[in-house]
Amino acid sequence: MGRLTGKTALVTGSSRGIGRAVAVRLAEQGALVAVHYTSNEEAARETVTTIEKDGGSAFAVRAELGVPGDVDELFGGLAEGLRERTGTSGLSILVNNAAVKVAGPVEDATPEDFDRLYAVNVKAPFFLIQRALPHLSEGGRVINISSGLTRLGDPSSVTYAMTKGALEQLAPHLAKLLGPRGITINTVLPGATRTGAAFWEDPALVEEITEMSALKRVGEAGDVADVVTFLASDEARWITGSSVDATGGSLVA
């Protein structure tokens, strides 16, 4: 019996990276996990297969976020998958992890990129929470994945950091709305986390990131997933409206 046995979870953007690690951890603790993806069905299936090989339960659900009808598409697939497996569309845990990032000189930023980042990173999580409200069970969990870049200046990532800063406002403002139902809402701020991106092949960059951490190593997706899993558990029932630094001490002055 895991800490999350009998729970259902939706993890957006969970076909790879931090989202995949979160989905796997939640399933290891007994949750039935909806693995959301945008276009890479094969990667989503791999996540589901990994979970099932370890004895967990999961299913994939597709929806492109940040476009008209995104929430309807996602919750339509989610409700269908949950009813097939549990008989209801009740949701215990919502993890808003999906995000897009465009980095580069401020001078090269475009209105199109700006609008896309806000649509995926801010608008989609807000309306996913709104849609989830009638489905969230008593004592449920909402966990939003932000970024340590909201606390660390990087001109090349200013638009992305702005969207994550906006995302962080959801927890303190919605905590009192959700609290009477025993639902907590919190934000996790990962630092530089090894997810398989090409830039991790640069030894100089890895060394620079390592030196930034108080723990003198780079972050792994599992490090963040463990924090999310804790917040999803009953042990975190007294934490809400908070932001949790999961940067390995990279923000310590």
Side-chain angles (χ1 to χ4, degrees):
M1 293 288 287
R3 291 184 290 173
L4 303 177
T5 297
K7 305 293 186 181
T8 57
L10 167 63
V11 183
T12 66
S14 49
S15 64
R16 58 187 177 84
I18 290 174
R20 172 180 284 188
V22 169
V24 170
R25 286 288 197 278
L26 296 180
E28 286 175 347
Q29 291 300 316
L32 165 62
V33 181
V35 175
H36 162 259
Y37 70 100
T38 297
S39 59
N40 194 337
E41 182 178 3
E42 181 179 356
R45 296 295 178 190
E46 288 176 1
T47 303
V48 171
T49 298
T50 297
I51 289 171
E52 292 178 339
K53 283 174 63 177
D54 290 337
S57 300
F59 63 94
V61 57
R62 183 202 172 277
E64 180 179 358
L65 300 181
V67 298
D70 54 356
V71 175
D72 289 337
E73 182 180 6
L74 178 50
F75 269 83
L78 173 67
E80 180 180 353
L82 289 176
R83 288 194 186 101
E84 287 178 359
R85 293 161 176 83
T86 69
T88 76
S89 60
L91 184 65
S92 312
I93 302 160
L94 169 60
V95 181
N96 282 310
N97 167 75
V100 293
K101 181 179 181 181
V102 177
V106 173
E107 294 83 357
D108 293 342
T110 67
E112 292 77 16
D113 286 341
F114 191 96
D115 290 345
R116 178 168 177 259
L117 263 65
Y118 266 87
V120 177
N121 299 358
V122 183
K123 183 178 179 180
F126 176 88
F127 285 102
L128 286 174
I129 293 172
Q130 182 193 66
R131 176 61 70 85
L133 287 177
H135 302 279
L136 281 169
S137 57
E138 297 291 316
R141 301 284 185 264
V142 178
I143 303 163
N144 299 317
I145 308 300
S146 180
S147 169
L149 285 170
T150 62
R151 308 289 194 275
L152 183 68
D154 176 11
S156 69
S157 300
V158 60
T159 308
Y160 174 76
M162 289 171 67
T163 65
K164 290 300 190 177
L167 180 71
E168 288 177 23
Q169 294 304 309
L170 293 174
H173 290 284
L174 295 182
K176 291 187 177 180
L177 171 68
L178 300 174
R181 295 170 56 192
I183 300 170
T184 67
I185 177 169
N186 293 289
T187 308
V188 175
L189 283 67
T193 305
R194 198 194 308 269
T195 57
F199 68 80
W200 285 104
E201 301 301 320
D202 182 348
L205 180 59
V206 172
E207 182 178 357
E208 180 182 347
I209 292 172
T210 299
E211 287 304 310
M212 289 177 61
S213 167
L215 299 173
K216 300 306 177 189
R217 67 173 178 85
V218 301
E220 305 291 346
D223 296 324
V224 182
D226 285 340
V227 176
V228 174
T229 303
F230 165 69
L231 290 174
S233 72
D234 187 60
E235 285 92 333
R237 62 191 176 277
W238 202 234
I239 303 173
T240 194
S242 296
S243 292
V244 180
D245 179 341
T247 66
S250 297
L251 303 181
V252 175

